[in-house]
Amino acid sequence: DSGVTQTPKHLITATGQRVTLRCSPRSGDLSVYWYQQSLDQGLQFLIQYYNGEERAKGNILERFSAQQFPDLHSELNLSSLELGDSALYFCASSVAAGGLTDTQYFGPGTRLTVL
Amino acid sequence: GEDVEQSLFLSVREGDSSVINCTYTDSSSTYLYWYKQEPGAGLQLLTYIFSNMDMKQDQRLTVLLNKKDKHLSLRIADTQTGDSAIYFCAESTVTGGGNKLTFGTGTQLKVEL
């Protein structure tokens, strides 16, 4: 158990809908990262937040947004869902802002299925 | 840009050693990680190495790094059925004000009795 929690574990929804995925980092960690794992794209970095502020951005679609709250938990919002958004979404956390040595610990993931 | 490549499959007999290979492209100093993913589970951090090191050993795991060839390998000694999983190597790179991990495709390790 990495100490990173994600809810829900599974989510099934329809195209065009909007969902919110939630992540709580390990105690003491200030950074939260979101990754998407799909069969065709593999594991892709989406976005990083550090202490409430966006720190780095990857291949995140404009339909997706994230935020980190004062209690350091983070939410990933996915809207206007398409079939291709079906994937496993991972959250990771690390202690600091994200230097090379800042090890990321991953949660169990949320499996999103868009029908 | 960063690119990390791995072979897709590896099959070994229980008790043998497994060697999982990875190549990366980023030429700057970096940390390289190995993660393990079991079916239906998240990514478990196994070990990591800084790009100026040649080798790191941690119990049954040995990481070898050839910086000139940008080649990384993970050796698992005395492989057990519980080691069956997908193994990802990942490269840490600074991006914007933070950092990200760039993952390889993952190597599925199957351990046979």
Side-chain angles (χ1 to χ4, degrees):
Chain A
D1 185 357
S2 67
V4 179
T5 61
Q6 291 187 247
T7 56
K9 195 173 173 64
H10 300 279
L11 199 47
I12 301 174
T13 189
T15 54
Q17 295 299 303
R18 173 189 168 93
V19 296
T20 297
L21 313 184
R22 183 188 167 103
C23 168
S24 293
R26 295 186 319 156
S27 177
D29 284 0
L30 297 178
S31 273
V32 169
Y33 307 76
W34 287 97
Y35 290 83
Q36 179 194 58
Q37 185 180 34
S38 62
L39 283 174
D40 53 344
Q41 298 287 331
L43 265 162
Q44 299 272 326
F45 167 71
L46 295 178
I47 198 163
Q48 176 199 359
Y49 276 80
Y50 170 72
N51 207 18
E53 294 190 1
E54 183 184 305
R55 198 77 176 186
K57 209 166 187 175
N59 301 323
I60 187 166
L61 299 172
E62 283 191 14
R63 301 183 285 109
F64 295 1
S65 65
Q67 53 185 326
Q68 185 179 27
F69 295 86
D71 67 351
L72 300 175
H73 91 271
S74 177
E75 292 180 356
L76 179 67
N77 300 295
L78 315 177
S79 62
S80 303
L81 285 167
E82 302 175 359
L83 296 177
D85 297 327
S86 295
L88 195 50
Y89 291 85
F90 285 112
C91 167
S93 72
S94 70
V95 170
L100 291 176
T101 62
D102 204 15
T103 302
Q104 296 180 31
Y105 295 89
F106 282 75
T110 293
R111 182 168 294 282
L112 173 66
T113 303
V114 182
L115 301 175
Chain B
E2 314 86 23
D3 191 22
V4 180
E5 295 189 357
Q6 297 179 241
S7 52
L8 292 179
F9 299 104
L10 177 65
S11 180
V12 300
R13 287 184 180 269
E14 188 177 41
D16 288 349
S17 291
S18 308
V19 179
I20 302 170
N21 295 302
C22 171
T23 58
Y24 63 100
T25 58
D26 196 339
S27 59
S28 57
S29 295
T30 186
Y31 272 78
L32 298 149
Y33 295 83
W34 284 102
Y35 286 87
K36 175 184 179 183
Q37 185 178 28
E38 295 180 83
L43 294 165
Q44 175 193 352
L45 175 66
L46 291 177
T47 187
Y48 58 89
I49 189 169
F50 186 51
S51 58
N52 68 352
M53 295 172 64
D54 297 324
M55 186 182 89
K56 181 179 180 182
Q57 187 153 5
D58 185 0
Q59 299 183 332
R60 290 192 299 125
L61 304 178
T62 303
V63 179
L64 294 176
L65 177 60
N66 181 327
K67 188 176 180 181
K68 175 176 166 289
D69 295 337
K70 295 189 177 60
H71 181 266
L72 182 71
S73 66
L74 174 69
R75 179 178 180 269
I76 306 173
D78 186 25
T79 312
Q80 302 298 306
T81 54
D83 295 323
S84 292
I86 300 176
Y87 290 80
F88 291 92
C89 68
E91 179 180 28
S92 177
T93 50
V94 173
T95 181
N99 82 323
K100 67 175 184 179
L101 292 175
T102 300
F103 285 88
T105 52
T107 299
Q108 183 162 2
L109 174 64
K110 182 178 177 183
V111 182
E112 299 175 325
L113 296 171

